[in-house]
């Protein structure tokens, strides 16, 4: 999921620097905001999965 977040951030940079985004009003801001939101979702999901696997390992060790 970290890899997906990195790819999402790279996609945001590619879209923000595209000539079509540069020519639209607030194109750069909208592209970065939209992609930044999804990048944050990927990072939050990765964090939740990491916490869940640590809790699962602790539960297995207790048995």
């Amino acid at each position: 999921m970290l890899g997906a977040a990195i790819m999402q951030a790279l996609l945001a940079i590619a879209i923000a620097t595209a000539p079509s985004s540069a020519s639209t009003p607030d194109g750069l801001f909208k592209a970065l905001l939209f992609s930044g939101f999804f990048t944050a979702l990927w990072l939050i999901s990765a964090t939740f999965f990491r916490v869940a696997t640590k809790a699962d390992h602790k539960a297995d060790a207790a048995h």
Side-chain angles (χ1 to χ4, degrees), residues 7-32:
M7 291 300 295
Q8 185 71 42
L10 291 174
L11 178 64
I13 292 169
I15 292 172
T17 58
S20 60
S21 297
S23 64
T24 58
D26 294 334
L28 174 66
F29 175 73
K30 288 178 184 178
L32 292 177

Side-chain angles (χ1 to χ4, degrees), residues 2-60:
L2 180 60
I6 292 169
M7 291 300 295
Q8 185 71 42
L10 291 174
L11 178 64
I13 292 169
I15 292 172
T17 58
S20 60
S21 297
S23 64
T24 58
D26 294 334
L28 174 66
F29 175 73
K30 288 178 184 178
L32 292 177
L33 181 67
F34 187 72
S35 291
F37 173 74
F38 284 106
T39 301
L41 286 178
W42 280 112
L43 292 173
I44 291 168
S45 295
T47 302
F48 285 155
F49 273 96
R50 184 177 174 103
V51 169
T53 58
K54 284 185 178 182
D56 191 37
H57 288 311
K58 288 180 183 178
D60 287 341

